[in-house]
Amino acid sequence: MVRTVVAGLDGSHESRAAAEWAAREATLRGLPLKIVHVWEPMPEPLAQAHLLGTETEAHWRERIPREATDGIRLRHPGLAVTMEQIPGRAGEVLPEAAEDADLLVLGSRALSGVGGFLVGSVGHAVVAHTEVPVVLVRAGEQADDEHERDPVGHPSAATRFRSVVAGIDITDSADSADAVLAFAFEEADRRATDLEVVHSWSPPPYSVYAPAADPERRDGTARQQAARLTDVLSPWRRKWPAVEVIAHTRVGSAADHLGAAALRASLVVVGRRIRRHALGTHIGPVTHAVLHHAPVPVAVVAHD
């Protein structure tokens, strides 16, 4: 099976931005790009309506993905690009289309108002049912957004990549962090940039009853958390010696700390636990919050 990067396309501005990001990522990986256009067959009464006839349906089903694919080929002449059209619901089709891919890339509108919520619900459904890494890209995302400003402060795609940020949880088991770290280290290495690892923790419930929250005990717990994070990262530092790692342990909301770190990042990497059942689109509260609020592309890596 040929390894690929898959991008979902529906003609929206956010899906076009996602396809462009996927083209850049496929180039970094040295892999071909496959664009998947999912369309829902129009009910017969609508297809026969005056304003929603066969010409309009053909425009969305054929012209938009063809033009988008041709544009990517022009802008990325060294990249092998294919396009496939599949009828059905995106939330069901895209996870199947990406089963053998290295990565699935989707567009995501900023969630404000009913329209954003409806678009977001499709993305959440795909993330919750796809076991390969999924990257969500905002509308308007540009290549130079991933890079630091040039010496005079102008956006530029020729400067160094901004950091990759990874959010991990080592409170219960370090094993759950391995998939996230593996993906994040590889992405940082491809971009020749540093990796910022954020682990957030909360004081034990009984600490609220200690006098003045017992600062000494809290400091001791903070040192233990930092030491544990160092241990978790040690084998990854040895495996990827060229990647500079900046490790943070923070007390409080993981979503808030990751949101702050995302402001200086090119990519944020978070995890979700695989739930092998048909019902629900649960992706975890932290990942859910990051997807809603991070201003940069977010990679969601599934793990057991």
Side-chain angles (χ1 to χ4, degrees):
M1 187 67 65
V2 177
R3 297 168 56 202
T4 60
V5 172
V6 173
L9 179 73
D10 62 8
S12 64
H13 292 300
E14 52 267 27
S15 74
R16 290 176 182 271
E20 287 291 339
W21 190 95
R24 298 194 296 272
E25 179 68 16
T27 300
L28 284 174
R29 291 171 176 247
L31 296 179
L33 171 65
K34 180 179 179 180
I35 296 174
V36 176
H37 178 237
V38 182
W39 57 279
E40 290 192 44
M42 190 176 297
E44 189 64 24
L46 289 179
Q48 294 178 355
H50 176 66
L51 295 178
L52 293 173
T54 56
E55 182 178 348
T56 300
E57 184 180 5
H59 170 80
W60 281 94
R61 193 174 68 235
E62 298 173 10
R63 180 179 174 184
I64 287 178
R66 184 180 67 248
E67 290 181 347
T69 302
D70 289 345
I72 287 176
R73 288 192 179 112
L74 285 172
R75 291 184 291 276
H76 304 270
L79 180 64
V81 185
T82 58
M83 188 269 288
E84 182 177 4
Q85 292 182 287
I86 306 175
R89 296 180 180 274
E92 299 169 358
V93 170
L94 287 173
E96 295 180 3
E99 278 184 354
D100 298 312
D102 273 31
L103 187 70
L104 173 62
V105 186
L106 304 175
S108 177
R109 188 181 304 173
L111 296 184
S112 57
V114 175
F117 173 77
L118 292 174
V119 173
S121 67
V122 173
H124 287 173
V126 174
V127 169
H129 295 108
T130 305
E131 296 193 9
V132 303
V134 181
V135 177
L136 281 91
V137 179
R138 297 286 188 253
E141 178 74 18
Q142 301 289 330
D144 53 23
D145 294 331
E146 302 177 63
H147 295 257
E148 297 177 350
R149 299 277 179 137
D150 70 12
V152 295
H154 294 156
S156 172
T159 58
R160 181 177 184 269
F161 275 95
R162 301 172 78 180
S163 301
V164 172
V165 169
I168 63 172
D169 182 5
I170 59 172
T171 303
D172 297 321
S173 170
D175 293 342
S176 64
D178 284 348
V180 174
L181 289 174
F183 185 92
F185 268 90
E186 289 179 4
E187 291 299 294
D189 185 68
R190 288 188 184 101
R191 288 160 171 74
T193 191
D194 55 273
L195 172 62
E196 191 170 344
V197 180
V198 180
H199 164 57
S200 299
W201 58 279
S202 298
Y206 62 77
S207 66
V208 300
Y209 299 106
D214 197 348
E216 185 175 338
R217 176 176 292 178
R218 177 167 164 166
D219 290 346
T221 304
R223 287 191 294 271
Q224 291 174 0
Q225 293 288 334
R228 189 171 184 186
L229 179 59
T230 297
D231 291 341
V232 169
L233 292 174
S234 290
W236 296 100
R237 291 180 194 264
R238 291 193 296 269
K239 184 176 181 179
W240 300 96
V243 177
E244 180 183 355
V245 180
I246 305 164
H248 303 288
T249 55
R250 297 282 187 261
V251 179
S253 166
D256 288 347
H257 294 311
L258 284 171
L263 297 176
R264 52 186 178 271
S266 61
L267 177 69
V268 175
V269 186
V270 291
R272 76 159 183 92
R273 191 171 299 280
I274 295 173
R275 302 172 187 269
R276 292 186 174 90
H277 54 74
L279 299 177
T281 56
H282 303 291
I283 58 176
V286 174
T287 295
H288 188 274
V290 172
L291 286 175
H292 277 60
H293 301 297
V296 299
V298 177
V300 182
V301 180
H303 60 80
D304 288 317

